[in-house]
Amino acid sequence: MRSVKKISIGLYCLAAVCLQCVRAKSTTTAEDTAFRAEMVKNAFRHAWQGYSSFAYGHDELQPMTNGTTDSRNGWGASIFDALDTMIIMGLEDDYQRAFEHVKNVDWTKSKDPSKTFETNIRYLGGLLSAYDLRPDPILLDKAVDLAEKVIMPAFNTPNRMPAAYVNVTTGRPVKHNEIVLAEFGSLQLELVRLSQLTGDDRYETAGNYILEKMSQVPSRIPGLYPMIWNLESFTPKNTYVTISGGADSYYEYLLKTNILMSGNEELQLDMWKVSVDSMQNYLRSETHSGKVYLAEFEEHYKLLQTGELVCFMPGNLLLGARYLNDESISQLAHELMNSCYDTWINTPTGLAPETWSWIDKEQNIAVYPEVMQKMMLRSGFIAQDTGYDLRPETIESLFYFYRITGDKAYQDKAWKIFEAIEKYCKTTSGYTRIADVTNMEDVKPLNFEESSFPSVYSYFFAETLKYLYLMFSDPSYISLDEYVFNTEAHPFKLNKPIQVQAKEFK
Ligand SMILES: *[C@@H]1O[C@H](CO)[C@@H](O)[C@H](O)[C@H]1NC(C)=O
Ligand SMILES: *[C@@H]1O[C@H](CO)[C@@H](O)[C@H](O)[C@H]1NC(C)=O
């Protein structure tokens, strides 16, 4: 991989010419691929330069104004999220500077309470993955220190279910009775890896106990749980079932925890299989033009709405399909992958909208307003929130599809997405959210501040650019046979390799 650096300059013109034939014939040469990897690395360098100049040590840069935000306790979330990406891209000087910052962070100092889930996936996940790639004991010490001071205290509740927030000064859970499926349901991977690396099983026990408790809670649709729960009673508080934000990584981790534990765990894999059956039987919805999306449920109503966030699911399904050798899961994965990708190429900018709805083929399309019928016929969806938040999920799935099927067409798809990001999201100091993917003339850049979500820019370093880079790297580099990625794209080394990657790439 590191060899890419040496050949970059000479490759520019060569690759620029060849890109034309890529489009015509849909074949990529090794030179194209190396060029693409280098372009992605340049994007990282550009964004990191901006962050380093104006926001170093803060959680995020505001890429439109060069301002800063501290949405994740001000410990330097972008640095922790980018550590492994720098190692993977071979950016040694940047890594050394980052490492100095990491050594000196004090987990008990912050003006905000720690959000257990976010601290776990970004800070703990980032440290563990950096340690797996470059085992410096300081990284593991820092991870243990974080777990002890800020993450494990979340479990100091009467029923051992984790509180959403911990006061980092007192080391006590913040009184707050509402917890979210994706948050308490995706702590396992990090805690299991921490136990594996330290030999201290308390972390894994705490994380996996949540799933034992969950398996005893009845769900109306088998294996699919509502998003909001009551902490004290540990029961669902509403009936809203979605695979999107607020639920997503719960489903993702059921499979991945089994993989990380070398199959020495059955409950979570069973829960994953049941949930996938229900996605197939209850949530799967097809349009008149053959697009397939996963719907939502509220009470007894099926809601025909979804979004880019759910586009991690095709990759997770394909990983599970190959791991379990299950053809029907693989088919669902392919249907969802194609439909997800189509939401990108069917907008004028080539960027997917954040959310969309659709008309199911069982419905009489003629009763809908003409404008909706037209949209369905033209693009297969009706955009709701037209923003794009530099999100990685579709790229992530394309990465799994490329690595697992060996089909290089997925590389070309990811490259198209990257080109659109370069064209519409690049600013003088980084990359930014945009509000309107349907308007090529004015995409309305957003600076990561006027959002219902807090500033989330750090995942661009952790996920979007890492998956893009690995997409164009040698497939044996960070192989899916040897690593499992957490929900923030931090790869953890498997104690026992699996066999999911393609043997041939063409
Ligand atoms: C942010 O920094 C870049 C790079 O130094 C500069 O070109 C740009 O003008 C700055 N933007 C603002 C709003 O100050
Ligand atoms: C943590 O608890 C202390 C003592 O109760 C309180 O003064 C402080 O404001 C709390 N910190 C946060 C971030 O909520």
Side-chain angles (χ1 to χ4, degrees), residues 382-434:
I382 301 155
Q384 298 296 335
D385 178 343
T386 59
Y388 172 58
D389 287 2
L390 297 177
R391 293 209 185 276
E393 289 75 17
T394 304
I395 301 167
E396 171 182 350
S397 280
L398 290 170
F399 167 70
Y400 281 91
F401 271 69
Y402 167 61
R403 290 288 188 90
I404 291 173
T405 67
D407 184 348
K408 289 185 171 172
Y410 294 111
Q411 287 182 312
D412 296 344
K413 292 179 175 176
W415 180 246
K416 271 201 139 146
I417 291 179
F418 177 69
E419 286 182 318
I421 294 174
E422 283 285 308
K423 184 162 178 195
Y424 293 107
C425 303
K426 196 167 187 170
T427 74
T428 48
S429 57
Y431 292 79
T432 196
R433 306 168 59 219
I434 59 170

Side-chain angles (χ1 to χ4, degrees), residues 72-288:
R72 304 266 81 95
N73 298 100
W75 295 322
S78 286
I79 296 175
F80 285 82
D81 254 354
L83 276 180
D84 55 4
T85 309
M86 294 172 190
I87 298 174
I88 288 171
M89 291 184 177
L91 297 167
E92 198 52 42
D93 293 347
D94 291 325
Y95 178 78
Q96 286 311 331
R97 186 178 176 199
F99 186 69
E100 288 307 308
H101 173 88
V102 166
K103 280 202 290 201
N104 295 317
V105 166
D106 181 346
W107 305 119
T108 65
K109 297 227 156 45
S110 176
K111 63 178 178 37
D112 301 311
S114 153
K115 193 167 185 189
T116 308
F117 165 75
E118 298 284 359
T119 300
N120 184 63
I121 63 164
R122 291 170 202 252
Y123 289 105
L124 184 57
L127 284 165
L128 292 175
S129 143
Y131 180 77
D132 265 338
L133 295 169
R134 185 169 301 181
D136 184 317
I138 292 174
L139 293 169
L140 190 57
D141 288 349
K142 210 70 201 175
V144 170
D145 190 40
L146 171 64
E148 292 299 335
K149 293 202 172 105
V150 183
I151 295 176
M152 292 306 278
F155 292 89
N156 284 334
T157 57
N159 60 4
R160 317 297 293 163
M161 292 301 107
Y165 295 95
V166 167
N167 180 320
V168 300
T169 322
T170 62
R172 292 212 189 91
V174 174
K175 279 211 184 318
H176 182 70
N177 207 15
E178 205 167 272
I179 51 174
V180 173
L181 177 60
E183 297 181 3
F184 64 80
S186 21
L187 299 168
Q188 290 70 28
L189 218 52
E190 294 76 11
L191 295 177
V192 166
R193 190 64 190 139
L194 186 59
S195 281
Q196 291 177 339
L197 290 172
T198 58
D200 181 343
D201 63 11
R202 283 178 305 125
Y203 311 114
E204 172 178 322
T205 305
N208 285 344
Y209 180 60
I210 303 168
L211 277 302
E212 281 173 52
K213 291 278 274 192
M214 277 194 79
S215 68
Q216 294 154 18
V217 179
S219 56
R220 200 159 55 182
I221 306 174
L224 301 181
Y225 289 97
M227 189 168 95
I228 310 291
W229 289 50
N230 182 306
L231 172 63
E232 273 167 32
S233 62
F234 200 59
T235 50
K237 224 175 162 170
N238 68 359
T239 60
Y240 176 51
V241 167
T242 177
I243 307 296
S244 190
D248 42 14
S249 46
Y250 160 70
Y251 300 102
E252 177 189 351
Y253 272 27
L254 292 175
L255 172 69
K256 289 181 169 179
T257 305
N258 181 280
I259 292 176
L260 183 60
M261 291 179 71
S262 309
N264 296 322
E265 181 290 322
E266 280 171 26
L267 177 68
Q268 296 183 43
L269 185 61
D270 284 345
M271 291 167 84
W272 186 79
K273 288 185 208 160
V274 174
S275 73
V276 171
D277 270 353
S278 286
M279 287 175 208
Q280 180 88 261
N281 298 331
Y282 296 88
L283 304 187
R284 183 184 177 283
S285 166
E286 196 173 329
T287 70
H288 293 85

Side-chain angles (χ1 to χ4, degrees), residues 54 64-66 428-429:
F54 303 109
M64 290 297 290
T65 54
N66 302 337
T428 48
S429 57

